[in-house]
Amino acid sequence: SEEAPTRGAHVPRASPPSPRPTRVPRSERDARSGPNAPAHIPRNPCREAPGEGQIATPAREVSVLGETREVIGAVRGATTGRKGKMAAAEDTKKDADAKATKAEKEDPKAENGDAKDDKKAADAAKKPQVEDDVIKKIVAGVGIPLDIGARVQCKWRDGQMYPVRVIERRAGPKGKEAQEEYEYYVHYEQFNRRLDTWVTIAEMDLGTAEQDEPGKKRKHEDAHDEEHAEFDPNALREHEEVTKVRNILKVELGRHEMDTWYFSPFPPEYTACKKLFFCEFTLNFFKRKEQLQRHLRKTEMYHPPGDEIYRNESRGKTTAFFEIDGKKEKIFCQNLCYLAKLFLDHKTLYYDVDLFLFYVLCEVDERGYHIVGYFSKEKCSEEGYNLACILTLPAYQRKGYGKMLISFSYELSKKEGKVGTPERPLSDLGLVSYRGYWTRELLAILKDESRAVMSIKDLSELTMIKTEDIISTLQHLNLLAYQKGAYVICAAPELIEKHLKAAGSPGVEVDPTKLIWTPYNAEKEYANFRG
């Protein structure tokens, strides 16, 4: 039902109904379309505006023997009926087919001409784009541009020369004829992939260049990669081929501009962008800063979605944690995964984030909540994982936030009453951080002389650290011996102090009393879903 207009409001006056069109007698219609029709009256009734119950069929042109004839199909309205429509369409089709057949008989060479041209174009598009037209130029006894897979000494940021492998190449502004201006995407073989970058010939020592022989495998290609332990060799090669070149070089998030480390599978329309602009509150990303500024003028949310479960002031800064359900805030969590993949090599990006909970750490000030890092965990993990993925953004690294994220994940495990462990494999930085946390937690308990003799099981119940992680940490510290079929902890006070000092500070500490949180209940969620 329509609502009554407000008193005093302007109500537009309804336009008068259009008059019913006058029906033209059949005799007059025949006179208009006959051979003696007046010149000012069009002979084709379909050129006129259709009257009530009439449908005007557009004219189409058919080229036959160099002559152009206009085939006019006019279907009269309800008066002609459905049979008349079908008959008119069938006659038009037969007429066109007959004339096309006649044209093919008279000019057999023209048969399927367009189809052949389309096939040639499709075949040309399917051919791989190879650089066979690249002209090699000899410089210092080496042909340039260098081939993909070539190895050469290249200058690093510190001015030293290191061996690199050419992963990709691209022509410079002057095209393929300017061989010296080619750019090369190289991997420093002694460094992590996050340091791969674009360089030029000027930064290389061409006297050390060497090409790979076809079919020859390098030792490093068959080496075991702990970060990609879940990949078989074929899957690992495919992963490296897809992610070998960074597609996004920089991101801007709030006040920080960060160089990216790895490839991230952003939507195709963003692959040509070298820099993306993220909203630090909603994580929407844009190609241009003007788009971001327009978005910020409209947004009214200055914190992540979800529930704030922790807030505390430490070291003069206020920090907060938000719990975000991937099922309820799907777009935010997917954008968070896109952003995280730029700084994580081993991360497998899940577009279906419904099965995960995300815990986002923020710094709080008068401008709002600024994302520092996050970790995710499965809602129901059969393996007992209390953390699936963890990241501290580069702008906030070396400030103790990574240690805080790990500590917070174990505080959640303590509140759940479940022993937890991070999902494998761990990245190189992740392993260092976790080993430091386990060392500080375990040695702090072993250092306390008031406690009775501790077993590994007792340590696990106190810290909620999995027994396998306790054993590996103590073995790494040379504090564990295997005697008479059992592990024995050999921890002298001086040795404990030495290892505690080497483990460093605990970072930003978590105050368990400030945590207001209820563990996820899958049965309750299912009951709510069923209604």
Side-chain angles (χ1 to χ4, degrees):
S1 63
E2 300 182 356
E3 296 181 359
T6 307
R7 180 179 178 88
H10 172 70
V11 180
R13 180 175 299 176
S15 57
S18 57
R20 183 179 182 87
T22 306
R23 189 173 186 84
V24 181
R26 179 182 297 275
S27 58
E28 186 177 345
R29 291 202 304 270
D30 295 341
R32 290 184 181 181
S33 59
N36 300 323
H40 67 278
I41 299 178
R43 298 182 61 181
N44 181 11
C46 294
R47 302 275 186 196
E48 299 177 352
E52 182 180 5
Q54 292 183 341
I55 301 176
T57 304
R60 60 189 181 99
E61 296 178 353
V62 179
S63 177
V64 180
L65 298 178
E67 299 178 359
T68 304
R69 293 189 58 189
E70 193 175 46
V71 182
I72 303 172
V75 182
R76 309 264 174 160
T79 57
T80 58
R82 185 175 179 183
K83 293 183 179 180
K85 295 179 185 178
M86 296 177 61
E90 189 173 345
D91 291 342
T92 302
K93 184 177 182 301
K94 287 181 180 180
D95 186 26
D97 292 344
K99 296 191 181 302
T101 305
K102 184 178 179 181
E104 291 175 3
K105 290 181 180 179
E106 294 186 5
D107 190 6
K109 294 182 180 180
E111 184 178 3
N112 296 329
D114 293 339
K116 291 181 180 178
D117 293 340
D118 293 342
K119 184 177 181 182
K120 289 180 181 178
D123 293 341
K126 290 180 181 178
K127 290 183 180 179
Q129 300 295 326
V130 295
E131 294 185 338
D132 293 337
D133 56 339
V134 174
I135 301 175
K136 290 280 187 178
K137 182 178 180 180
I138 304 301
V139 177
V142 179
I144 61 171
L146 297 175
D147 293 332
I148 296 174
R151 283 170 169 78
V152 66
Q153 295 283 329
C154 186
K155 186 182 295 184
W156 177 240
R157 300 170 186 171
D158 59 1
Q160 301 287 336
M161 303 297 286
Y162 295 94
V164 300
R165 177 166 52 92
V166 177
I167 297 176
E168 191 58 85
R169 69 183 183 188
R170 64 188 181 191
K174 295 183 180 179
K176 298 177 181 178
E177 296 181 357
Q179 294 90 343
E180 293 88 348
E181 295 190 4
Y182 263 76
E183 293 181 325
Y184 303 89
Y185 194 78
V186 299
H187 168 63
Y188 289 85
E189 297 187 337
Q190 298 179 5
F191 302 148
N192 189 276
R193 283 184 61 199
R194 72 172 68 96
L195 302 178
D196 295 357
T197 186
W198 289 98
V199 298
T200 60
I201 287 290
E203 302 171 67
M204 299 180 179
D205 182 4
L206 294 180
T208 62
E210 58 180 75
Q211 302 287 346
D212 274 349
E213 297 179 8
K216 182 179 179 181
K217 287 188 176 182
R218 296 270 174 173
K219 290 183 180 179
H220 73 88
E221 293 180 358
D222 296 328
H224 179 67
D225 188 354
E226 293 183 357
E227 288 191 21
H228 300 89
E230 77 276 18
F231 293 115
D232 57 61
N234 293 331
L236 180 58
R237 279 193 292 270
E238 182 179 354
H239 166 77
E240 291 182 348
E241 179 64 26
V242 173
T243 65
K244 64 181 181 180
V245 179
R246 285 179 295 158
N247 50 348
I248 309 296
L249 301 182
K250 294 178 181 291
V251 293
E252 183 176 307
L253 181 70
R255 297 177 177 178
H256 303 284
E257 181 181 272
M258 296 169 279
D259 293 331
T260 61
W261 295 351
Y262 303 108
F263 170 90
S264 182
F266 280 87
E269 58 267 26
Y270 294 91
T271 53
C273 301
K274 301 306 177 186
K275 181 178 178 180
L276 287 181
F277 300 86
F278 279 80
C279 172
E280 59 180 335
F281 307 116
T282 65
L283 290 188
N284 291 343
F285 47 88
F286 306 90
K287 299 179 182 179
R288 301 190 307 273
K289 191 161 188 175
E290 294 79 7
Q291 295 174 319
L292 172 63
Q293 291 172 342
R294 189 161 56 246
H295 166 79
L296 290 175
R297 285 194 294 267
K298 294 185 293 184
T299 188
E300 297 179 354
M301 186 172 70
Y302 298 98
H303 59 81
D307 301 324
E308 184 177 359
I309 60 175
Y310 177 88
R311 186 190 296 186
N312 187 32
E313 185 174 350
S314 177
R315 298 185 178 182
K317 292 185 178 180
T318 303
T319 55
F321 270 96
F322 283 80
E323 182 186 58
I324 305 170
D325 191 335
K327 184 177 180 180
K328 297 178 181 178
E329 304 292 344
K330 200 165 189 175
I331 300 300
F332 180 91
C333 296
Q334 286 180 346
N335 292 345
L336 183 60
C337 290
Y338 280 132
L339 179 63
K341 183 62 185 70
L342 291 171
F343 306 101
L344 297 174
D345 182 25
H346 67 284
K347 176 179 175 60
T348 303
L349 188 69
Y350 288 96
Y351 296 97
D352 187 8
V353 294
D354 294 3
L355 303 179
F356 292 87
L357 294 170
F358 294 80
Y359 296 89
V360 178
L361 171 62
C362 299
E363 278 187 355
V364 186
D365 60 16
E366 65 279 358
R367 293 176 53 247
Y369 293 72
H370 312 287
I371 296 178
V372 170
Y374 86 102
F375 71 88
S376 61
K377 62 182 292 187
E378 291 182 274
K379 294 178 179 178
C380 301
S381 175
E382 296 180 358
E383 295 83 0
Y385 295 142
N386 66 350
L387 185 144
C389 181
I390 182 172
L391 170 71
T392 303
L393 293 173
Y396 296 96
Q397 291 180 0
R398 299 183 179 275
K399 295 182 179 180
Y401 287 122
K403 300 172 183 177
M404 185 182 188
L405 289 167
I406 295 174
S407 177
F408 194 81
S409 68
Y410 277 99
E411 290 298 332
L412 297 182
S413 296
K414 292 175 183 177
K415 199 149 189 176
E416 285 180 301
K418 297 179 181 178
V419 175
T421 186
E423 184 176 328
R424 269 47 172 195
L426 289 172
S427 64
D428 53 349
L429 297 179
L431 180 60
V432 171
S433 300
Y434 264 96
R435 188 163 282 167
Y437 172 79
W438 292 332
T439 299
R440 288 188 297 273
E441 289 293 310
L442 296 175
L443 295 188
I445 296 175
L446 295 176
K447 182 182 176 181
D448 189 357
E449 298 179 355
S450 63
R451 296 182 182 273
V453 178
M454 301 293 296
S455 66
I456 292 177
K457 185 177 180 181
D458 295 334
L459 290 174
S460 179
E461 291 177 352
L462 286 173
T463 61
M464 290 301 166
I465 301 174
K466 200 172 183 179
T467 55
E468 289 82 352
D469 298 332
I470 295 175
I471 293 172
S472 66
T473 301
L474 295 178
Q475 285 178 336
H476 176 73
L477 300 174
N478 293 323
L479 298 179
L480 197 64
Y482 192 74
Q483 298 178 358
K484 298 180 180 180
Y487 286 104
V488 178
I489 300 175
C490 305
E494 307 82 25
L495 198 56
I496 291 177
E497 288 292 340
K498 177 183 175 181
H499 287 308
L500 277 174
K501 187 176 181 180
S505 67
V508 182
E509 296 185 4
V510 177
D511 184 356
T513 61
K514 301 295 180 66
L515 175 61
I516 303 174
W517 178 71
T518 302
Y520 176 80
N521 189 332
E523 295 180 358
K524 182 180 179 181
E525 184 74 16
Y526 181 68
N528 293 336
F529 174 76
R530 294 190 62 182

